[in-house]
């Protein structure tokens, strides 16, 4: 509703601009100031995640925005994807959505997303973002998502007190991992804290693929979907290792959320956990100190850096307030202030590459250094489990076979055969 300075009775509301011109009533019509508003669909609901999401909301509201929260519980985001699809089908998409990897291009290709080029130009995104992130968030030369962070996925989290009590060192090879796990088990400690959900099993799987096969093998199998790599002896060994790890989780693992498994590591029930560094966000949100209460270590085996970058896309909206809200949110997310506040809380490192390191702890600094080394040695790989590597249907095929294997007596030979078939069907 435009603001009106008190006009003479003769001037009615309809088409004020035209009327003012005709009548010469001396009215001035100032377009109403948009109230930046966004409804934000995300799945950051665990302790550490919601603290980080809260920082975004605070910044947005402090900048005069109206935030409508639409969280969907369920780590890994599969539940959130289902909600998103049904809302789009119902013609009622949220304004901003936590969405990553190839899904960005899929939604952009359908014309559902608002390009962010105006903000990107004004905020110099071309210069501040690393090429690998720019590639993910652009489609046909246009920005369709704003990246929030860089999460490293291939971490081993360790409770040093528990390891010391059992006289076990942090393993560097898979043989050492298995030996450590056997010793922990014999000491009555759960070797591996784990949540029985397909994305979490896929996280174990892709970590072993990288650790056993190396970055080139990972890319061949989990990105290029090469049938020879998918059915190779190396892949059989990967499944054999996954089978061993089934013996290192506790009986109550089925369906457990990742942050519940993190609690087992924190309270000393379990010695190790394999998870992306949102784990660190959870541990520090509970007051745990890196290097003292927990250690962030490389996964056993060959090195490499598994990337998972969160981002937000903006679904097209004809509403001026929502449009203004989307622009404000995109601008804030890649601002230096927010990049620091959010990533310190979330456990990730900034997406923008011109940030000072002072506020970041030893695990974040290690992540920054390891990322640089991996870029130099071409051993950065996109996380398949976290929707960075392949389209949704293909990821679904991986998750189905891997979780069926983890929860059954299927042989590793059968698993690689079923995997190659399922991936071939889905691609
Ligand atoms: C990932 C997401 C992370 C983290 C994790 C656990 O897919 O990108 O930000 O929150 O799930 O929910």
């Amino acid at each position: 509703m435009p603001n009106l300075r008190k006009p003479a009775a003769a001037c009615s509301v309809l088409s004020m601009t035209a009327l003012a011109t005709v009548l010469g009533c001396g009215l001035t019509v100032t377009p109403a100031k948009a109230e930046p508003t966004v409804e934000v669909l995300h799945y950051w609901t665990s302790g550490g995640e919601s603290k980080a999401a809260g920082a975004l909301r605070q910044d947005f509201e402090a900048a005069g925005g109206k935030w409508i929260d639409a969280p969907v519980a369920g780590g890994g985001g599969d539940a959130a994807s289902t909600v998103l699809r049904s809302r789009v089908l119902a013609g009622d998409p949220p304004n901003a959505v936590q969405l990553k990897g190839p899904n960005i291009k899929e939604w952009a290709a359908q014309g559902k997303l608002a390009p962010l080029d105006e903000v990107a130009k004004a905020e110099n995104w071309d210069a501040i973002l690393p090429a690998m992130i720019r590639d993910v968030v652009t489609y046909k030369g246009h920005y369709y998502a704003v990246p929030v962070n860089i999460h490293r996925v291939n971490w081993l989290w360790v409770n040093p007190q528990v390891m010391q009590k059992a006289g076990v060192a942090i393993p560097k090879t898979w043989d050492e991992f298995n030996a450590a796990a056997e010793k922990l088990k014999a000491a009555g400690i759960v070797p591996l804290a784990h949540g029985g959900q397909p994305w979490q099993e896929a996280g174990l799987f892709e970590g072993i693929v990288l650790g056993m096969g190396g970055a080139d093998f990972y890319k061949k199998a989990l990105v290029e979907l090469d049938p020879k790599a998918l059915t190779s002896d190396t892949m059989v060994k990967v499944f054999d290792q996954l089978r061993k790890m089934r013996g290192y989780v506790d009986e109550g693992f089925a369906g457990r959320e990742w942050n519940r498994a993190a609690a087992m590591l924190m309270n000393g029930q379990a010695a190790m956990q394999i998870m992306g560094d949102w784990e660190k966000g959870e541990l520090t949100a509970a007051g745990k100190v890196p290097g003292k209460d927990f250690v962030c270590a490389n996964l056993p085996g060959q090195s490499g850096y598994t990337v998972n970058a969160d981002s937000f896309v903006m679904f097209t909206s004809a509403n001026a307030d929502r449009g203004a809200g989307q622009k404000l949110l995109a601008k804030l997310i890649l601002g230096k202030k927010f990049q620091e506040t959010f990533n310190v809380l979330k456990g990730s490192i900034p997406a923008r590459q011109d940030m000072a390191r002072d506020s970041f702890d030893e695990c974040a600094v290690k992540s920054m250094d390891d990322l640089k080394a991996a870029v130099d040695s071409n051993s950065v790989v996109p996380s398949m489990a976290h929707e960075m590597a392949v389209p949704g249907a293909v990821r679904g095929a991986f998750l189905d076979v891997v979780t069926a294997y983890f929860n059954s007596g299927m042989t590793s030979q059968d698993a690689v055969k079923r995997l190659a078939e399922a991936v071939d069907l889905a691609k």
Side-chain angles (χ1 to χ4, degrees), residues 9-308:
C11 298
S12 72
V13 173
L14 199 61
S15 64
M16 295 305 284
T17 318
L19 191 59
T21 328
V22 174
L23 294 178
C25 292
L27 279 180
T28 51
V29 178
T30 50
K33 198 165 170 318
E35 189 192 5
T37 303
V38 275
E39 182 190 8
V40 184
L41 185 140
H42 63 91
Y43 52 94
W44 289 331
T45 58
S46 78
E49 291 172 333
S50 46
K51 254 191 182 164
L56 180 54
R57 177 174 188 156
Q58 268 157 31
D59 273 18
F60 186 75
E61 290 173 343
K66 189 166 158 226
W67 174 288
I68 301 165
D69 208 27
V72 180
D78 292 309
S81 306
T82 309
V83 170
L84 174 62
R85 276 194 297 278
S86 62
R87 289 201 51 179
V88 172
L89 281 176
D92 171 36
N95 308 120
V97 176
Q98 179 188 1
L99 198 91
K100 308 173 292 177
N103 293 330
I104 298 168
K105 291 180 177 34
E106 282 184 23
W107 283 104
Q110 293 172 37
K112 301 280 186 204
L113 305 183
L116 301 173
D117 298 325
E118 191 191 320
V119 178
K121 194 156 182 291
E123 303 298 320
N124 211 7
W125 290 4
D126 282 354
I128 63 172
L129 292 175
M132 69 171 183
I133 298 293
R134 272 205 314 272
D135 293 348
V136 173
V137 296
T138 52
Y139 175 65
K140 293 193 172 167
H142 298 282
Y143 281 96
Y144 281 102
V146 51
V148 183
N149 60 9
I150 294 175
H151 266 302
R152 176 182 180 170
V153 178
N154 57 324
W155 286 107
L156 179 67
W157 304 92
V158 173
N159 181 318
Q161 282 84 34
V162 172
M163 297 290 271
Q164 201 174 16
K165 215 167 57 193
V168 172
I170 297 179
K172 294 201 172 22
T173 67
W174 289 106
D175 289 345
E176 285 176 12
F177 180 91
N178 298 334
E182 293 300 338
K183 212 169 169 190
L184 288 159
K185 219 171 154 179
I189 296 162
V190 176
L192 188 65
H194 179 64
Q197 297 172 329
W199 71 272
Q200 295 192 57
E201 266 112 49
L204 299 183
F205 169 75
E206 70 177 27
I208 306 168
V209 168
L210 181 63
M212 278 194 170
D216 292 345
F217 175 74
Y218 183 107
K219 292 173 194 168
K220 270 241 167 287
L222 273 54
V223 182
E224 297 158 28
L225 310 176
D226 173 6
K228 274 212 304 307
L230 290 171
T231 54
S232 63
D233 293 347
T234 304
M235 196 56 89
V236 171
K237 288 199 187 90
V238 167
F239 277 103
D240 288 347
Q241 177 58 36
L242 195 58
R243 172 68 70 227
K244 288 200 178 80
M245 288 157 91
R246 173 64 184 82
Y248 302 146
V249 304
D250 67 305
E251 282 318 303
F253 80 100
R256 180 187 289 134
E257 275 292 342
W258 70 275
N259 49 315
R260 296 256 168 273
M264 294 171 67
L265 187 85
M266 279 192 245
N267 63 26
Q269 236 181 307
M272 303 182 277
Q273 187 176 5
I274 293 174
M275 188 55 68
D277 44 25
W278 43 91
E279 174 89 358
K280 190 192 65 170
E282 205 63 20
L283 299 172
T284 52
K288 302 297 179 186
V289 178
K292 177 174 154 288
D293 304 312
F294 66 89
V295 172
C296 47
N298 292 342
L299 271 188
Q302 300 194 44
S303 65
Y305 191 106
T306 309
V307 166
N308 169 33

Side-chain angles (χ1 to χ4, degrees), residues 375-392:
V375 168
D376 296 347
S377 62
N378 198 17
S379 58
V380 176
V381 297
S383 172
M384 175 279 291
H386 292 280
E387 308 175 277
M388 297 298 292
V390 288

